[in-house]
Amino acid sequence: MILNFLQSIGAYVLDAFASLGRASLFLMQVLMGIKDVLLRPRLLIRELYSVGVLSLLIIVFSAIFVGMVLSLLGYVTLVDFGAESSLGVLVSLSLIRELGPVLSALLFSGRAGSALTAEIGLMKATEQLASMEMMAVDPIRRIVTPRFLAGFISLPLLTIIFMALGIYAGYLVGSVWLGVDEGSYWSQMQNKVEFWHDVVNGIIKSVVFGFVVTWIAVYQGYNAMPTSEGVSRATTNSVVYSALAVLGLDFILTAIMFI
Amino acid sequence: MSDFFVTIRDLYFSRGDREIFSGVSLDIPEGKVTAIMGPSGTGKTTLLRLMGGQLRPDRGSVIVQGLEIPSLKRKALYQARRRMGMLFQSGALLTDLSVFENIAFPIREHYSFPESIIRDIVLLKLELVGLRGARDLMPSELSGGMARRVALARAIVLDPTLMMYDEPFTGLDPVTLGTIVSLIKELNCSLGMTSVVVSHDIHETFSIADHVCILSEGKLAAQGSPEELMNSESEFVQQFVQGKPDGPIPFHFPAEPLEQDILGKDMSGKSAL
Amino acid sequence: MGSSRKTEIFVGAFVLLALLAFFVLAMNISNLGSLGSDKGYTVNAQFDNVGGLQPRAKVTLSGVSVGRVTGISYDKETFRAVVTMTINGGVDYLPSDTQASIYTSGLLGEQYISLEPGAEDEVLAEGSAVTLTQSAVVLEEIIGKLLVSFTTKD
């Protein structure tokens, strides 16, 4: 009984290491193609459109609503202590340090990451990747690398937009609707939010998330079983693993950056 | 050796625990149409992938145009593939590009020709497969037969010296089937390519092949010209060529005898529980 | 090439939007705009008790923010707390007998340092020490003093 249990844990751990190794080798191959992609920026721009621009709508909407809710709840709590002038600080620090990077990454993996996995997985299932190989075109460099780079670049940009919009939405609810003094909303915020400590660390978080989320997405797509069931499973895995990785890494990064 | 375009010697390949090839040796003559046939699951498509270097054998050599494919480095392999064309069963057209762009794709990837030259090459190849008028359609708007013809045009756009066809006859209506059969023959003659056709359609394949290799159970079972095989005395070849249900190729997947399977453990006197 | 042009325009707008948001984050929301590039100069002050003062607390002059606390440590020679603060470079006219006090903003707010200029001609510069200090007010001490004064009255 116990031996069986130990064995299954051992098998699971070995399996996890093996897939981590495979994913790292794959990442190496993807990164080797960066030079080729930079020589043909048109490929990258097309992917920036489908990965970045098409995710903009959901990011903008979420940022506005998250900012408004944060402001509303923050006001209700702070007003009890007579500290509603700190509302700007609360909204901006929450968004910059935590909610901006994490929510953007989760939304991005749902919108763009899953699409990347499905697209690459389908190309594999319909032999498009194999046919490219036979046309002497490396599918990793031609298909995967531009998508990986586009994801890696897009997420930090989307996160920055998320942060700024959320803070403005919070301002609208807090100052215009609930009547917190406009001056104290902004000045307290400016006093408390450190550019290097808060803003830059928040952006570093999103750079890490962008790297991991797109890596998971393209790896899952490229290694999907070439069947419709395999592609749908890979898409689900892509979103689930991305979410787990983002939340786990967020804890580690927060502990390193803000303690 | 030099007479043969592709030489395969003592090839071993297995996928997981299943052994697909155990010591296959065959030669493909230059400038001819060679058919590779065999019952389903004998690894005909796998053989094409091994020739294209998409898979690596466990053991043995695959020599295409004097190049030992399995030992080639990445760069040399991609160089060698420029002279190979492969027609996939599904066509494998790039779904986000139009017919024209699909055929232009290999040219754009490998050469920086001016647009006018690309246009000329693409239209010529499309004319060859009779689809010049369909150049602006998207792959999703094509029928299965048209998609396969477009894929054929794309496979020959870089003028390969070796052309591989993976099941080119499956799932086509009689008219398209006829077109594809005659296209393969014509292309082989007019462009001077060496063609390898993987198929299990006896009738169509025998009508165009100069040389036929039959694979079975991981080995080369028979080879020769279509006439030789039709008149072969081997029981296996006769069964395959005439499509009899049972014979040396068993109808049943290997299993223990039926009565043992059903009555199972009761026979040995022990309870199944 | 019409669709590729549209794509390029959208991508350009997207990148521009992100840059704009970044600029807003840097200038309007964080303190990069107010502290700016001028490095300022560092002065030290010793206190008997810094209370709840935290690094990055603000340093004010008549309520105007002129700097930030950069470090708090303990001096084992004098047995007092050492507060290091950076004053904005533009504020280079503080007399050397300026007094530093630790105050609390509001009843429960955070603690900050307030500077009151003295009368000397010499001014504070990089590495100067502020000698006149007033420690943080610790609530327990006040309560203790009150209790003592109440009991002595009786």
Side-chain angles (χ1 to χ4, degrees):
Chain A
M1 245 314 253
I2 294 172
L3 280 181
N4 279 347
F5 180 64
L6 279 180
Q7 189 202 352
S8 62
I9 291 183
Y12 185 79
V13 170
L14 287 179
D15 207 44
F17 272 108
S19 35
L20 195 64
R22 279 196 300 273
S24 307
L25 280 178
F26 176 73
L27 181 66
M28 287 261 292
Q29 285 177 287
V30 171
L31 296 181
M32 300 265 273
I34 287 184
K35 197 188 73 186
D36 296 5
V37 175
L38 294 181
L39 289 175
R40 295 174 63 185
R42 216 166 259 274
L43 283 182
L44 183 61
I45 287 178
R46 250 193 52 187
E47 296 312 325
L48 274 176
Y49 177 79
S50 60
V51 169
V53 176
L54 294 184
S55 307
L56 202 54
L57 192 68
I58 187 165
I59 290 287
V60 166
F61 261 90
S62 314
I64 290 174
F65 279 99
V66 168
M68 295 198 303
V69 169
L70 213 52
S71 185
L72 213 53
L73 285 177
Y75 177 81
V76 171
T77 312
L78 289 174
V79 82
D80 286 348
F81 301 100
E84 69 269 23
S85 59
S86 300
L87 185 63
V89 181
L90 180 107
V91 170
S92 59
L93 282 187
S94 314
L95 279 169
I96 289 171
R97 288 180 173 183
E98 172 68 21
L99 293 177
V102 171
L103 282 182
S104 305
L106 294 179
L107 292 168
F108 182 78
S109 89
R111 172 66 184 80
S114 63
L116 282 181
T117 308
E119 190 188 13
I120 296 176
L122 270 178
M123 291 184 87
K124 186 180 184 189
T126 53
E127 294 183 310
Q128 292 183 49
L129 297 183
S131 77
M132 246 181 226
E133 247 176 44
M134 286 311 298
M135 288 186 274
V137 177
D138 187 340
I140 292 189
R141 294 188 182 188
R142 179 61 174 71
I143 297 294
V144 178
T145 308
R147 285 166 174 73
F148 176 78
L149 267 188
F152 176 59
I153 295 172
S154 293
L155 183 54
L157 299 185
L158 291 168
T159 304
I160 292 170
I161 294 172
F162 190 105
M163 292 171 177
L165 267 179
I167 290 168
Y168 270 93
Y171 159 73
L172 282 183
V173 167
S175 288
V176 178
W177 182 26
L178 298 171
V180 173
D181 179 57
E182 185 176 333
S184 60
Y185 186 92
W186 292 111
S187 65
Q188 290 249 7
M189 190 188 311
Q190 282 165 13
N191 265 327
K192 278 287 174 156
V193 179
E194 294 269 339
F195 180 74
W196 293 106
H197 187 253
D198 296 317
V199 178
V200 171
N201 273 346
I203 294 173
I204 289 174
K205 267 189 180 181
S206 76
V207 169
V208 174
F209 295 161
F211 188 86
V212 172
V213 168
T214 15
W215 178 17
I216 291 176
V218 293
Y219 176 73
Q220 287 291 338
Y222 198 79
N223 283 280
M225 298 278 278
T227 57
S228 46
E229 197 216 346
V231 174
S232 77
R233 192 186 315 158
T235 311
T236 314
N237 281 350
S238 162
V239 176
V240 172
Y241 292 162
S242 298
L244 293 178
V246 164
L247 295 171
L249 280 171
D250 181 51
F251 177 74
I252 296 171
L253 289 174
T254 308
I256 296 172
M257 289 171 173
F258 299 114
I259 297 291
Chain B
M1 282 277 268
S2 56
D3 306 352
F4 297 113
F5 202 77
V6 179
T7 310
I8 293 171
R9 284 285 170 274
D10 225 11
L11 186 72
Y12 283 81
F13 181 80
S14 52
R15 196 168 260 164
D17 294 334
R18 211 163 74 89
E19 194 158 73
I20 294 177
F21 297 124
S22 41
V24 171
S25 299
L26 59 83
D27 300 303
I28 291 170
E30 183 164 5
K32 301 269 176 61
V33 178
T34 302
I36 295 175
M37 310 194 72
S40 323
T42 43
K44 302 184 296 287
T45 305
T46 310
L47 193 64
L48 288 190
R49 299 245 160 145
L50 285 162
M51 282 161 61
Q54 290 186 304
L55 296 172
R56 279 174 199 273
D58 302 337
R59 199 135 63 76
S61 73
V62 180
I63 297 169
V64 179
Q65 284 177 288
L67 293 172
E68 174 71 47
I69 295 291
S71 62
L72 286 183
K73 290 263 185 297
R74 186 182 167 281
K75 205 161 187 179
L77 181 62
Y78 274 100
Q79 207 61 42
R81 280 182 187 155
R82 290 196 189 188
R83 286 173 304 189
M84 299 181 189
M86 191 186 290
L87 178 68
F88 284 82
Q89 196 174 339
S90 61
L93 295 176
L94 304 175
T95 37
D96 54 345
L97 299 179
S98 69
V99 166
F100 183 94
E101 286 300 321
N102 254 291
I103 297 173
F105 181 81
I107 315 177
R108 290 197 203 279
E109 288 296 314
H110 296 304
Y111 306 101
S112 42
F113 288 160
E115 197 57 32
S116 61
I117 293 186
I118 294 181
R119 197 182 127 86
D120 291 351
I121 299 176
V122 172
L123 290 185
L124 276 177
K125 300 293 176 188
L126 270 175
E127 177 68 23
L128 219 52
V129 297
L131 289 174
R132 194 159 43 83
R135 70 186 101 155
D136 293 326
L137 295 183
M138 293 305 282
S140 55
E141 299 169 298
L142 300 175
S143 72
M146 280 160 83
R148 205 167 291 175
R149 276 147 72 191
V150 173
L152 184 54
R154 185 181 66 178
I156 58 172
V157 77
L158 292 181
D159 293 321
T161 47
L162 173 65
M163 187 62 209
M164 296 178 266
Y165 300 91
D166 185 7
E167 304 277 6
F169 308 128
T170 15
L172 294 179
D173 64 87
V175 179
T176 326
L177 185 63
T179 332
I180 296 272
V181 170
S182 56
L183 266 176
I184 293 177
K185 190 75 198 168
E186 265 175 45
L187 287 175
N188 194 71
C189 296
S190 61
L191 300 178
M193 303 182 295
T194 303
S195 308
V196 181
V197 180
V198 154
S199 176
H200 43 224
D201 296 274
I202 305 286
H203 181 71
E204 286 79 21
T205 312
F206 275 29
S207 70
I208 53 167
D210 301 304
H211 185 77
V212 179
C213 302
I214 301 182
L215 294 174
S216 175
E217 289 172 0
K219 294 220 164 42
L220 181 65
Q223 62 175 329
S225 69
E227 295 76 36
E228 282 166 14
L229 290 176
M230 284 303 238
N231 304 322
S232 164
E233 281 169 16
S234 149
E235 225 181 305
F236 168 79
V237 175
Q238 281 305 319
Q239 188 205 346
F240 186 75
V241 170
Q242 295 176 17
K244 294 180 193 158
D246 219 345
I249 308 168
F251 166 68
H252 291 290
F253 194 80
E256 50 197 310
L258 181 64
E259 53 279 14
Q260 210 176 355
D261 222 1
I262 291 177
L263 304 170
K265 281 150 190 151
D266 291 340
M267 283 177 74
S268 59
K270 280 184 189 169
S271 159
L273 296 169
Chain C
M1 290 285 127
S3 71
S4 113
R5 192 177 138 77
K6 205 181 92 189
T7 309
E8 281 163 16
I9 291 173
F10 270 116
V11 171
F14 168 51
V15 173
L16 212 65
L17 186 64
L19 283 179
L20 184 77
F22 182 75
F23 187 77
V24 167
L25 280 178
M27 293 303 158
N28 264 6
I29 290 169
S30 73
N31 53 12
L32 195 69
S34 53
L35 279 184
S37 53
D38 85 283
K39 286 297 229 181
Y41 58 98
T42 309
V43 296
N44 297 315
Q46 296 204 336
F47 291 90
D48 289 328
N49 192 337
V50 292
L53 190 72
Q54 297 284 337
R56 303 206 287 126
K58 59 185 174 180
V59 177
T60 64
L61 196 59
S62 304
V64 179
S65 178
V66 295
R68 228 157 250 281
V69 171
T70 48
I72 297 171
S73 58
Y74 188 71
D75 186 343
K76 63 182 178 188
E77 307 286 316
T78 58
F79 296 107
R80 299 176 87 196
V82 181
V83 173
T84 317
M85 52 197 132
T86 303
I87 313 283
N88 293 355
V91 188
D92 53 358
Y93 39 75
L94 291 173
S96 58
D97 59 345
T98 293
Q99 188 185 351
S101 317
I102 298 176
Y103 287 146
T104 306
S105 59
L107 191 58
L108 298 166
E110 91 246 24
Q111 293 188 296
Y112 64 97
I113 290 187
S114 173
L115 300 176
E116 280 123 57
E120 290 280 340
D121 287 339
E122 215 178 313
V123 293
L124 291 174
E126 174 68 32
S128 307
V130 176
T131 44
L132 298 171
T133 61
Q134 187 190 323
S135 287
V137 176
V138 180
L139 210 56
E140 291 92 320
E141 277 180 13
I142 299 177
I143 295 169
K145 277 178 190 162
L146 280 175
L147 285 177
V148 169
S149 66
F150 283 141
T151 44
T152 45
K153 256 184 189 172
D154 287 341

